[in-house]
Amino acid sequence: MLLRRLPSVQSLLQHPSAADALSSLGHATLTRALRDELAQLRAAVLAGRAAHLPDAARIVAAAAAACSQPAALRRVINATGIVVHTNLGRAPLAEVAAAAAAETARSACNLEFDLQTGRRGSRGVGAEALLCRLTGAEAALAVNNNAAAMLLALAALAGPGAEVVVSRGELVEIGGGFRIPDIITQGGARLVEVGTTNRTRLADYAAAITPQTCLLLKVHQSNFRMVGFTAEASLSELAGLARTRGLLLLDDLGSGTLARLPGSLAQLEPTVRESLEAGTDLVAFSADKLLGGPQAGLLAGRAEVVDRLRRHPLMRALRLDKMTLAALEATLHLHTNPPRAAADIPVLRMLGQSAAELAARAERLCALLDEVCTAEAVASAGHAGGGALPGQDVASRAVRLAVPGCSPDTLARALRTQTPAVVGRIHDGCLLLDMLTVADAELPDVAAAIFAAVAGLADAAPGQLPA
Ligand SMILES: *Cc1c(COP(=O)(O)O)cnc(C)c1O
């Protein structure tokens, strides 16, 4: 009987309550959603799970709601204290960079068109000119990411059969299982490892050079740090060796910074300009780590070397799209004015915060929570992340959250599943929301997420939580 009373898709489409959904979703999408909804109802009736049928308006509403599932990729508030968090999309863009990407996305642009001559132009000229100005390089090139920059450099400069000499202390795994040795051999070059894990001298490189050698490679250790009985050849020593033996020196700087970092971090990451001044032929680095831009891999160096990369067939496969280029150019433009860069580029702004600013933000969040749960401002240690400044703490303040009867993991999950999601970190068995990576403007959203999470937990376990 119930099955017979199920409305048809046609009658639901013509129902007055379907008008809004029809205009926002379109006929095809709503039809499919109604079919799915009716199929579920039919299954429920047959399984004896439905004593009566919802009315037409409710069926339409359920079908429309099923179409407006949140996107899989969505906004997250980063309360981990890790500034450049690869799993959370690395650097958030500066406002002007995000606006430039959005404007380019919506309209046509002179991506490969010279407005002066009206002829074909070359992609990325703006970003390349800014990179040269910021690093002192003769030429520059931007590709999809730093892994792509390394792949292109090795393919163009060290083809099949060529030997690339690298220290055993620098055979780095970047993360996600990607290893520098694999990138080198991908292009057909042969990897020649020299030295030991903890000590590699200039003489080790010199002894490994054969007629097949074409490249000396230096790799930033990025995500780990060696302490104790260690030695490495300096860039200028390697540059001298490369020059006398007719080889090229490639430096994978990893994060790469254009200017000295704020405060106590200043001495810890070499700049791209310093690498080039030491005599490196080509430097590769990421745009979305400490540089604070969109995902891209940047190459800066001698014009003749960069040209060999530009002409390589792989370049076409690794090139940047217009939105990324627009965001990159805007970010690099900010870097030409260091005080503005420090204020407007989120990564630099986060790393340059004072203790007082961080403490005030933690207190403000505690006050916003109005005792909905236990919240306490505590000292914390954040990190630059993204393979920059490994092992180096960035002093911060966090809000330690607790809900009686609820484990930190359960509370963390409840916060992660809010909209927007809030991602903290568990430290010493407690959930911390680190203020290093949360902006003042995000505090109301963080507080709202905590209220909603606590309410949800109370519904799930009535009687276990305080009123
Ligand atoms: C991060 C990193 C890379 C990879 O950069 P992506 O931009 O993530 O591709 C390569 N080398 C080093 C040393 C790094 O730190």
Side-chain angles (χ1 to χ4, degrees):
M1 284 308 285
L2 276 180
L3 280 187
R4 283 218 211 129
R5 293 219 305 275
L6 266 181
S8 68
V9 171
Q10 256 337 301
S11 71
L12 290 171
L13 282 168
Q14 281 155 13
H15 194 267
S17 70
D20 280 353
L22 204 49
S23 72
S24 64
L25 297 170
H27 188 270
T29 303
L30 186 59
T31 302
R32 211 175 311 121
L34 286 169
R35 266 197 209 115
D36 289 348
E37 189 61 31
L38 289 173
Q40 282 179 33
L41 282 172
R42 203 170 292 120
V45 170
L46 288 173
R49 281 185 278 113
H52 46 79
L53 290 177
D55 62 22
R58 274 176 189 264
I59 298 176
V60 169
C67 294
S68 55
Q69 289 288 328
L73 183 62
R74 52 202 154 116
R75 184 178 155 220
V76 166
I77 294 178
N78 175 6
T80 62
I82 298 166
V83 174
V84 177
H85 197 305
T86 296
N87 300 156
L88 300 183
R90 292 203 180 150
L93 293 181
E95 276 306 325
V96 289
E103 179 172 295
T104 316
R106 277 193 292 262
S107 66
C109 63
N110 59 337
L111 183 63
E112 291 182 358
F113 185 72
D114 186 325
L115 294 171
Q116 294 297 328
T117 62
R119 300 205 180 153
R120 191 194 164 111
S122 101
R123 182 184 291 246
V125 281
E128 288 169 17
L130 282 164
L131 270 171
C132 291
R133 183 170 149 200
L134 288 162
T135 63
E138 285 175 9
L141 194 59
V143 291
N144 181 59
N145 58 11
N146 192 25
M150 292 298 292
L151 183 68
L152 178 64
L154 287 155
L157 305 178
E163 290 176 1
V164 176
V165 183
V166 63
S167 161
R168 289 198 169 88
E170 297 171 7
L171 296 172
V172 180
E173 176 168 320
I174 307 160
F178 288 96
R179 295 175 167 178
I180 291 293
D182 299 334
I183 296 177
I184 296 173
T185 49
Q186 187 66 38
R190 211 169 75 75
L191 179 69
V192 179
E193 304 169 18
V194 298
T196 59
T197 303
N198 57 328
R199 291 176 76 85
T200 305
R201 299 179 190 79
L202 188 66
D204 296 322
Y205 289 88
I209 294 170
T210 74
Q212 279 71 49
T213 308
C214 60
L215 204 64
L216 303 184
L217 173 63
K218 183 95 181 136
V219 183
H220 188 285
Q221 285 166 343
S222 290
N223 43 18
F224 70 105
R225 202 168 62 173
M226 279 202 299
V227 293
F229 188 56
T230 66
E232 59 177 325
S234 74
L235 268 182
S236 49
E237 286 175 326
L238 288 173
L241 178 64
R243 209 168 307 120
T244 54
R245 306 291 288 269
L247 309 172
L248 295 174
L249 174 61
L250 168 62
D251 186 13
D252 175 6
L253 211 43
S255 180
T257 62
L258 293 173
R260 284 289 176 182
L261 291 173
S264 59
L265 305 173
Q267 295 311 311
L268 296 167
E269 280 286 324
T271 67
V272 177
R273 183 181 285 272
E274 284 161 356
S275 174
L276 290 168
E277 281 172 358
T280 306
D281 295 288
L282 188 67
V283 186
F285 53 106
S286 297
D288 56 351
K289 291 181 177 174
L290 290 178
L291 199 137
Q295 177 190 304
L298 307 177
L299 292 143
R302 288 193 10 238
E304 176 253 327
V305 177
V306 172
D307 271 347
R308 284 168 66 185
L309 272 57
R310 205 187 296 282
R311 288 195 308 267
H312 193 277
L314 261 182
M315 183 59 211
R316 175 62 186 245
L318 305 177
R319 72 183 187 182
L320 289 180
D321 76 295
K322 60 180 182 171
M323 290 178 282
T324 306
L325 269 172
L328 178 63
E329 187 174 337
T331 307
L332 292 171
H333 193 259
L334 280 176
H335 275 284
T336 62
N337 180 343
R340 255 199 87 189
D344 292 356
I345 295 178
V347 165
L348 298 182
R349 185 168 64 218
M350 288 179 210
L351 289 172
Q353 295 174 101
S354 69
E357 252 177 291
L358 293 161
R361 190 172 305 134
E363 293 302 335
R364 240 188 91 200
L365 179 57
C366 288
L368 282 174
L369 293 182
D370 199 22
E371 296 177 5
V372 66
C373 62
T374 315
E376 192 186 356
V378 296
S380 165
H383 294 279
L389 315 171
Q392 183 68 34
D393 289 351
V394 181
S396 179
R397 295 289 285 179
V399 173
R400 186 163 63 202
L401 288 186
V403 170
C406 171
S407 75
D409 286 325
T410 303
L411 182 56
R413 183 173 185 283
L415 283 172
R416 285 197 308 270
T417 49
Q418 300 301 320
T419 307
V422 175
V423 181
R425 78 169 187 274
I426 307 273
H427 179 73
D428 279 348
C430 297
L431 176 61
L432 298 185
L433 300 186
D434 201 306
M435 294 297 105
L436 186 69
T437 47
V438 176
D440 281 327
E442 289 175 320
L443 288 183
D445 280 341
V446 175
I450 295 170
F451 275 100
V454 171
L457 291 166
D459 285 346
Q464 297 205 352
L465 296 168

